[in-house]
Amino acid sequence: MKVIVIGGGAAGMLAAWQAAKEGNEVLLFEKNEKLGKKLFITGKGRCNVTNACEIEELLDHVVTNKEFLYSGFYTFSNDRMMELLEELGCPLKVERGNRVFPVSDHSSDVIGALERGLRDQRVKIHRKTRVKSLVIQNEKIQGVRIESGDVISGDKVIVATGGMSYPATGSTGDGYEFARKAGHHVTKLSPALVPFQVKEEFCRQLMGLSLRNVGVTLTADGKKVYHDFGEMLFTHFGVSGPVVLSASSHIAKYQGKELKFLIDLKPALSKEQLDQRVLKDFKKMSNKDFGNSLDELLPKKMIPVMIELSGIEQHKKVHEITKKERERLVLGMKQMELTITGVRGFKEAIITQGGVDVREIQPGTMESKKVRGLYFAGEVLDLDAVTGGFNLQIAWSTGYLAGMNEN
């Protein structure tokens, strides 16, 4: 059988490797000059390959259409992906939150290992070759037409073109167009795992400040829709960092509602415990100005902002602060409120939310229910997860299924 794979990213490389391993002639078309261009920049260039948690936990971290992934995750699990990379000469390590990285901290080693795998399996790689369209006759795939106008015939075509995020890496939405023309429905596309833009001006004052171990809650019209702990960062436009990116995956369905992002700067303490802590500090510094009493509680950059939010005059003596004022200060630290005005665009989004409707795809094989011999894998599908290696596992598992021979 002759198999054509469109896209040399995570899903495409895995699909091509598996298809060749099963004895097929495999042609991989990549429009960039090299494979794995987006993979190269993931995890800040370190490549968070997968997550080493249990499979049920993997599924719990999927935001959209997790039921569709049961077959994929159980057929080609995170453990199998880790074994494969190690076999191909890329040793791995597990870090906090079960995140898996190459020991070298270089994403190029992951790409290098997969390229070795493709060479070993004699996959014919065509770089700088753009596929213009699919060739379909009588609801059966016949091959692809490339930019030169030539038609390359094939018995099976796997579309693994990625999404719309990071367009500089070549993710320009080609796969959605292929899918539509093949009769598929493509769900609404939105940037996901993306920083928030916020209304509050004080964010600019905090630009560059990174917070660790904070609790965050996302609310829509006052209703809690997401909660997490971890790291975040203030920027010139709002907030970013791991907990923000994960929260952003839950935002699309609440468009049009009032979105608030609440930060708990002291998640290990209840309001009452924090109030006791503040009281203790105030007793030690009773004759100091309020503005000079917060050094042990907050990062230096945060102090002027917290003074402003508490409404307490900074030169007021600590022993003159009322209980009501102290309660306002504690609330400000336990529930620092930001108003979300939007998210950054596809240029800054790690992934795309939305894609080829999975109701039109066979979950055990990734074959189209509309065109025989046409398969989809990876980010082009309407599947996404939070940060931590879960999105790459979606790519590996769906790529593997797409590459398998059907019995």
Side-chain angles (χ1 to χ4, degrees):
M1 191 160 70
K2 189 173 171 187
V3 179
I4 294 168
V5 180
I6 312 171
M13 284 194 278
L14 219 290
W17 175 81
Q18 178 58 23
K21 201 164 184 288
E22 302 220 5
N24 301 301
E25 178 193 349
V26 182
L27 283 69
L28 172 61
F29 291 99
E30 168 54 59
K31 65 181 176 183
N32 286 314
E33 72 289 352
K34 55 188 174 192
L35 302 181
K37 209 164 176 186
K38 187 175 171 189
L39 207 51
F40 185 70
I41 59 169
T42 59
K44 295 178 182 163
R46 294 173 63 217
C47 192
N48 184 183
V49 177
T50 186
N51 194 286
C53 62
E54 297 295 318
I55 291 178
E56 283 301 319
E57 208 180 317
L58 273 183
L59 288 159
D60 286 343
H61 285 85
V62 175
V63 175
T64 310
N65 295 319
K66 77 171 185 179
E67 296 81 7
F68 180 83
L69 284 162
Y70 273 81
S71 191
F73 281 177
Y74 277 101
T75 305
F76 191 74
S77 65
N78 44 1
D79 287 344
R80 284 192 68 186
M81 186 59 205
M82 288 159 71
E83 281 164 21
L84 172 62
L85 283 173
E86 300 242 343
E87 280 164 20
L88 293 172
C90 179
L92 302 171
K93 60 181 175 179
V94 180
E95 294 189 0
R96 195 164 47 85
N98 280 325
R99 292 172 306 160
V100 180
F101 293 93
V103 167
S104 65
D105 284 331
H106 294 306
S107 54
S108 53
D109 288 349
V110 176
I111 299 162
L114 292 168
E115 285 185 315
R116 271 194 298 281
L118 295 174
R119 275 198 306 275
D120 291 348
Q121 300 300 334
R122 296 185 171 76
V123 172
K124 294 173 188 140
I125 301 168
H126 299 266
R127 295 174 179 83
K128 293 189 188 171
T129 309
R130 184 174 184 171
V131 172
K132 288 288 283 178
S133 60
L134 304 176
V135 180
I136 299 166
Q137 269 174 12
N138 304 324
E139 296 176 358
K140 167 89 177 75
I141 201 80
Q142 304 295 317
V144 299
R145 182 174 277 102
I146 57 175
E147 203 150 35
S148 65
D150 293 343
V151 171
I152 315 295
S153 64
D155 306 296
K156 172 173 177 172
V157 172
I158 301 168
V159 177
T161 48
M164 297 281 286
S165 51
Y166 291 141
T169 64
S171 304
T172 49
D174 301 358
Y176 304 128
E177 206 44 45
F178 298 155
R180 287 188 190 105
K181 285 184 175 162
H184 279 279
H185 173 242
V186 174
T187 63
K188 186 175 182 293
L189 305 170
S190 337
L193 299 188
V194 63
F196 289 149
Q197 292 175 173
V198 304
K199 185 170 97 180
E200 285 72 16
E201 282 296 318
F202 65 72
C203 273
R204 287 176 185 274
Q205 284 172 255
L206 297 172
M207 186 172 88
L209 175 64
S210 179
L211 300 175
R212 296 185 72 171
N213 305 320
V214 291
V216 300
T217 304
L218 179 66
T219 66
D221 285 348
K223 185 174 167 243
K224 178 167 134 181
V225 295
Y226 184 74
H227 180 70
D228 200 3
F229 294 92
E231 294 173 39
M232 60 165 287
L233 171 75
F234 288 95
T235 68
H236 65 288
F237 55 77
V239 285
S240 187
V243 289
V244 174
L245 300 183
S246 288
S248 74
S249 286
H250 297 263
I251 218 170
K253 57 186 109 158
Y254 300 105
Q255 276 170 356
K257 297 188 186 298
E258 186 186 44
L259 294 164
K260 298 276 189 185
F261 190 66
L262 310 173
I263 305 164
D264 183 351
L265 298 169
K266 303 288 176 185
L269 302 174
S270 66
K271 271 186 198 163
E272 295 71 30
Q273 288 169 325
L274 182 56
D275 188 43
Q276 288 304 309
R277 166 76 203 272
V278 170
L279 261 177
K280 202 168 114 189
D281 283 7
F282 278 7
K283 272 182 186 143
K284 280 194 286 184
M285 308 176 193
S286 63
N287 292 316
K288 276 193 172 183
D289 287 359
F290 171 59
N292 298 326
S293 69
L294 301 171
D295 289 357
E296 288 180 27
L297 271 171
L298 296 165
K300 213 163 196 63
K301 221 172 190 174
M302 180 74 79
I303 292 171
V305 169
M306 197 52 71
I307 288 169
E308 197 185 320
L309 293 177
S310 73
I312 305 169
E313 210 283 305
Q314 65 171 324
H315 296 299
K316 188 170 191 173
K317 296 296 177 196
V318 166
H319 66 264
E320 293 171 355
I321 291 171
T322 66
K323 187 183 176 197
K324 210 169 191 64
E325 286 173 326
R326 199 178 71 241
E327 281 170 358
R328 270 205 315 269
L329 171 67
V330 168
L331 187 65
M333 287 191 275
K334 288 295 290 175
Q335 211 170 295
M336 188 180 209
E337 190 176 283
L338 301 176
T339 310
I340 299 167
T341 56
V343 296
R344 304 295 274 180
F346 281 111
K347 277 187 181 175
E348 291 178 49
I350 294 175
I351 57 157
T352 305
Q353 200 165 51
V356 178
D357 193 331
V358 296
R359 288 173 298 186
E360 300 166 357
I361 305 294
Q362 301 284 0
T365 61
M366 299 295 129
E367 187 175 16
S368 161
K369 291 179 181 177
K370 294 179 176 286
V371 178
R372 279 171 298 135
L374 175 60
Y375 295 72
F376 292 89
E379 201 182 334
V380 72
L381 291 162
D382 184 14
L383 300 166
D384 65 278
V386 297
T387 56
F390 304 103
N391 287 289
L392 268 180
Q393 188 57 47
I394 292 174
W396 308 131
S397 295
T398 57
Y400 180 90
L401 285 186
M404 277 167 57
N405 281 351
E406 287 167 55
N407 299 326

